[in-house]
Amino acid sequence: MSELLCPQCGAPVPLRSAAMPYAVCGHCQSVIRREGDTATRIGEAASLPFDVSPIELGMRGTAPDGAPFTVAGRVRWGWGDGAWNEWLLALPNGGYAWLGEAMGQFQYLTERANLLDHPLLREFAQGGALPLGATIDLDGRIFTAADVKRATCLGSEGDLPFATPIGLAIDSIDFREPSGAALSVQRDPDGVSAYAGAYIDLSVLKPKGLRRIEGWTLPEALR
Amino acid sequence: MTDPQKQQAASQSARAITCPSCGGSIGIKAAGYTVSVACLYCGTVLDVANDDVRVIAEYHQAVAQLDIPLGTRGSLFGVEWEAIGWLERSSIDGAWQEYLLFNPYAGYRWLVLSEGEWQFGTMLTDRPETLSGEAVRWRGNLYELEDEPYRIATRRVLGEFYWRVRAGDQVDAATFARGREQLSCEWNADETQWTQMVPLDRRKVGGAFGPQDKPGPKGKPEKPAAGPQTARGGWSDRPFSADGDVRRMVGWGLAALVVMLVVMASLSGDRAGMKGSMQVVVDGAATHGEFGPVEVGRAKQMLTVHLDGPALSNEWVDVKLTLVNRVTHQAIPAVATLENYNGSDSDGNWTSGDHDATLHLYDVPRGSYNLLIEGQGHSWHDPNAPTTASLVHDAQIAAGLPTTDATNPWGLVEKPPLRTEALTFLVEDGGMDWPLFWTFAVLIMGVPCVILIYRVSGGGRR
């Protein structure tokens, strides 16, 4: 794992995924953009509030398709009635996936750019609303919009595909489907992105290096 | 690659807040997930979704005293859970309690106590498929509508929750069942949540979450403790932290035992007995015997039945015993197993099992009864013993399947004549339930003893 030095405070910033153009300095919370060997400070991220998530940066595991991953970054989103984590999983050859974590449940999601051609999402990308109950047909399955909310970034860490300055706000929509499959659509100032995946049990990812939480022992199935 | 943040975070496991209403200190166990907290001391509901703690609804009420105090941990299905939240909910049919369980690696589960029955609830991430108004299919199995849609109101809340909870919340619900397993569906304008509910033995809950729920005689549900409780100032004011209280604890414990002894003795009645014996066939058909009368003179009486198979040797007897009222034909069943095994191995000779048993039949109503006894004897063979085919009665082997016994490769069976064993019984009108008494004695006196040992060893210093 290579390192770069934070242009703001000089602290070493570990690079967990060389493919990610942004990183957050763990020392001064600077949002750093990387281009080749140069690192530029473009803003500041909020520092993450304490939580008891079992995931942490550097954790390794195996994606449902068998590919090994490393947890390289995290964004925490907050809305009026709570917050959730999105963990960036760095896959081989610069690929990545997201592990969404909310209410103690996990979703494994990969980007599905072709979904953006869907008329509903096109309209959404142009600033339109996407109402609760709207449906999207994908791979023969019907996904229903079950959760529509506006969220702001509460903090971030590690390497990320986009910049996460203080005050970053997104529109986030979760679609659900009877078998436990899920879609997630996000609209931020740079545009719309769409992800598809499913609810999973943490043990499916064969996690190695789950965070140690004081006072709790790792369950047998996750060791 | 050590992040300073991470090291700091690793040393904590809870976020501490101060209740703006009463000043009580509250540790938030599921930090990052918890959205609202009902203060353990004053019941005020707080919004803790963000850094600033805001009051949602202010209460200064006596908070409920729970069967499982929040913060208690217990293991169910191989995972350790901490009870972090509690709801009292009600429908038109009555009220029940729901505990929210949390483990940072496993998420949330529910522990529901309704009419003395416990259920363990897991929220579903997939959706049961609606077949009709009367049935749903989930993971290949059919669940039939059990309870028509009904309205649930949350009456009281305590502890922390991953949503914005408050007393008075209402949802609609319906229940579908497959055997004793249920799928519960709750919905409001914004969302629908399905939960799988499996029954849990109350002993399992008691064993997991401490002595709050020890099984009583006949497994009768204890009254849920819902009495008001005086507000506590803080953790340091918890019981047993003051000095000089050991004598008081021991005194109250002994007083409780004396009262119990007197009550049990007064219920035990006189000892007019009835005894008899019967022969039980070993490895044959069940033997039936009918004896009587057994007279019960008090309105509610405990009966004690002693059973003995004094000559059992490498045999066991399953006994089904039924007390039948001669007038009403009301039946009170009980079962017992008498057993005695012996043999020899590398450690020498050994014996195990009890050839006698004592049964207590509680709350037997006044009347005249017949005692029906069904006994079935079985022989047992020490697999290490050198004896062979003459004692083999296994049905498969008798059917001619090959055995692993080299001296009798075809499993030919020589059937010995049926043997019988004597079974004696003694029914006593009453009798002290000494095991129950001593169990309670240990439970009651054990607490001050443990506290005393803890203090003597210096663990109580703060």
Side-chain angles (χ1 to χ4, degrees):
Chain A
M1 187 161 62
S2 57
E3 269 185 0
L4 59 84
L5 296 181
C6 173
Q8 173 79 1
C9 69
V13 179
L15 292 184
R16 296 184 175 84
S17 170
M20 293 298 133
Y22 297 94
V24 178
C25 172
H27 191 72
C28 70
Q29 297 299 119
S30 287
V31 178
I32 301 162
R33 181 167 61 217
R34 297 198 308 251
E35 281 162 309
D37 289 340
T38 60
T40 324
R41 179 184 192 272
I42 60 161
E44 192 178 341
S47 78
L48 284 162
F50 171 72
D51 69 5
V52 292
S53 170
I55 313 292
E56 68 180 354
L57 293 188
M59 188 197 96
R60 291 169 187 281
T62 309
D65 64 2
F69 69 76
T70 306
V71 176
R74 149 161 67 157
V75 189
R76 186 169 176 81
W77 302 103
W79 59 295
D81 276 354
W84 74 94
N85 285 321
E86 286 177 5
W87 297 92
L88 182 88
L89 311 184
L91 295 165
N93 304 320
Y96 67 92
W98 289 99
L99 182 64
E101 180 196 14
M103 302 186 306
Q105 295 177 334
F106 293 91
Q107 278 186 348
Y108 179 87
L109 297 159
T110 52
E111 188 154 17
R112 291 288 286 265
N114 61 335
L115 257 176
L116 299 177
D117 294 335
H118 195 283
L120 212 57
L121 296 193
R122 271 198 199 154
E123 205 188 311
F124 182 61
Q126 284 158 12
L130 217 166
L132 208 63
T135 58
I136 287 183
D137 201 334
L138 175 72
D139 304 336
R141 291 172 165 178
I142 294 167
F143 292 80
T144 309
D147 203 353
V148 178
K149 52 181 68 130
R150 186 161 184 85
T152 52
C153 181
L154 295 183
S156 56
E157 60 181 336
D159 298 352
L160 293 164
F162 51 82
T164 51
I166 291 175
L168 173 67
I170 58 164
D171 290 304
S172 169
I173 297 165
D174 284 339
F175 289 79
R176 295 176 77 163
E177 187 266 349
S179 74
L183 296 181
S184 172
V185 177
Q186 293 190 353
R187 179 171 63 192
D188 61 36
D190 292 336
V192 172
S193 46
Y195 307 86
Y199 280 97
I200 53 156
D201 195 272
L202 206 49
S203 61
V204 168
L205 300 178
K206 302 185 187 72
K208 291 196 177 54
L210 279 174
R211 179 172 152 203
R212 299 275 166 182
I213 301 166
E214 197 193 311
W216 291 95
T217 49
L218 268 175
E220 203 75 51
L222 297 175
R223 255 171 236 169
Chain B
M1 55 154 285
T2 49
D3 296 343
Q5 287 173 297
K6 205 195 284 178
Q7 286 179 328
Q8 191 196 345
S11 64
Q12 320 173 325
S13 63
R15 171 186 165 201
I17 61 161
T18 302
C19 174
S21 185
C22 74
S25 174
I26 306 169
I28 296 187
K29 308 298 173 42
Y33 301 111
T34 292
V35 167
S36 53
V37 174
C39 175
L40 295 174
Y41 311 110
C42 67
T44 294
V45 183
L46 307 171
D47 175 347
V48 295
N50 302 301
D51 280 345
D52 58 323
V53 175
R54 283 175 299 179
V55 173
I56 298 176
E58 190 153 348
Y59 296 106
H60 282 287
Q61 61 186 17
V63 294
Q65 188 164 14
L66 307 182
D67 289 351
I68 300 175
L70 298 186
T72 306
R73 290 194 187 183
S75 284
L76 289 172
F77 305 106
V79 176
E80 184 182 27
W81 301 101
E82 181 162 337
I84 64 168
W86 172 84
L87 303 171
E88 186 183 74
R89 307 174 86 196
S90 67
S91 70
I92 195 154
D93 289 333
W96 64 93
Q97 307 179 51
E98 300 186 0
Y99 289 92
L100 183 61
L101 305 181
F102 178 72
N103 173 303
Y105 299 103
Y108 292 98
R109 296 292 184 280
W110 288 102
L111 196 55
V112 177
L113 173 60
S114 177
E115 292 172 359
E117 303 282 331
W118 291 92
Q119 286 179 305
F120 184 77
T122 305
M123 287 155 278
L124 304 185
T125 51
D126 50 351
R127 296 280 145 134
E129 181 190 351
T130 303
L131 301 177
S132 67
E134 303 289 305
V136 295
R137 180 161 40 219
W138 181 60
R139 297 187 186 177
N141 290 319
L142 200 70
Y143 292 76
E144 285 175 6
L145 183 69
E146 188 175 66
D147 294 323
E148 295 285 341
Y150 52 99
R151 177 62 61 94
I152 296 176
T154 299
R155 299 211 302 209
R156 291 196 291 175
V157 298
L158 212 54
E160 55 185 282
F161 303 90
Y162 56 84
W163 72 96
R164 200 173 293 278
V165 72
R166 62 187 304 169
D169 283 344
Q170 295 202 349
V171 293
D172 289 304
T175 312
F176 298 84
R178 177 173 177 267
R180 294 188 66 206
E181 184 190 321
Q182 291 180 332
L183 293 181
S184 140
C185 181
E186 294 185 7
W187 67 93
N188 61 17
D190 295 329
E191 61 173 352
T192 300
Q193 179 65 57
W194 286 86
T195 306
Q196 179 203 19
M197 311 290 298
V198 295
L200 258 188
D201 190 291
R202 60 198 309 280
R203 264 167 290 217
K204 205 165 170 182
V205 177
F209 287 92
Q212 299 80 19
D213 197 45
K214 276 278 177 287
K218 275 175 82 177
K220 239 193 224 163
E222 281 147 26
K223 247 199 293 178
Q229 183 201 29
T230 53
R232 297 196 205 108
W235 293 109
S236 59
D237 293 338
R238 298 204 65 155
F240 309 137
S241 62
D243 285 330
D245 50 6
V246 169
R247 192 173 299 170
R248 252 194 346 259
M249 285 188 284
V250 173
W252 279 110
L254 286 175
L257 287 179
V258 168
V259 169
M260 198 166 151
L261 194 64
V262 170
V263 170
M264 285 177 73
S266 71
L267 287 175
S268 64
D270 44 305
R271 317 260 316 161
M274 177 191 77
K275 60 177 153 185
S277 70
M278 60 188 274
Q279 292 290 314
V280 176
V281 178
V282 178
D283 295 322
T287 316
H288 297 268
E290 184 165 355
F291 308 91
V294 179
E295 301 291 347
V296 175
R298 298 176 185 224
K300 289 275 183 186
Q301 176 75 64
M302 185 183 77
L303 290 186
T304 304
V305 183
H306 302 285
L307 294 165
D308 194 7
L312 294 178
S313 172
N314 278 334
E315 289 160 327
W316 80 93
V317 179
D318 291 321
V319 182
K320 285 183 202 161
L321 186 148
T322 317
L323 203 60
V324 180
N325 188 302
R326 292 180 154 198
V327 179
T328 64
H329 297 285
Q330 183 202 6
I332 300 169
V335 293
T337 301
L338 313 179
E339 54 196 349
N340 178 277
Y341 310 112
N342 55 61
S344 58
D345 57 20
S346 54
D347 296 334
N349 293 329
W350 56 269
T351 60
S352 92
D354 287 325
H355 61 77
D356 60 352
T358 300
L359 298 171
H360 296 294
L361 306 175
Y362 297 92
D363 293 341
V364 179
R366 178 184 287 131
S368 179
Y369 291 84
N370 279 347
L371 179 66
L372 271 54
I373 297 177
E374 178 188 316
Q376 186 153 28
H378 306 270
S379 57
W380 177 82
H381 311 289
D382 183 356
N384 298 321
T387 49
T388 56
S390 68
L391 291 169
V392 173
H393 298 282
D394 187 283
Q396 260 192 331
I397 297 168
L401 294 175
T403 69
T404 52
D405 184 350
T407 62
N408 185 10
W410 308 107
L412 296 176
V413 174
E414 217 178 296
K415 265 203 165 173
L418 290 176
R419 277 176 299 128
T420 61
E421 289 288 358
L423 171 68
T424 67
F425 65 86
L426 168 64
V427 184
E428 284 182 328
D429 182 7
M432 269 295 280
D433 189 353
W434 288 109
L436 183 71
F437 177 77
W438 287 117
T439 302
F440 275 102
V442 168
L443 285 176
I444 291 172
M445 298 312 289
V447 175
C449 288
V450 167
I451 291 167
L452 198 60
I453 290 165
Y454 180 67
R455 285 193 193 154
V456 167
S457 67
R461 273 178 309 203
R462 287 249 177 134

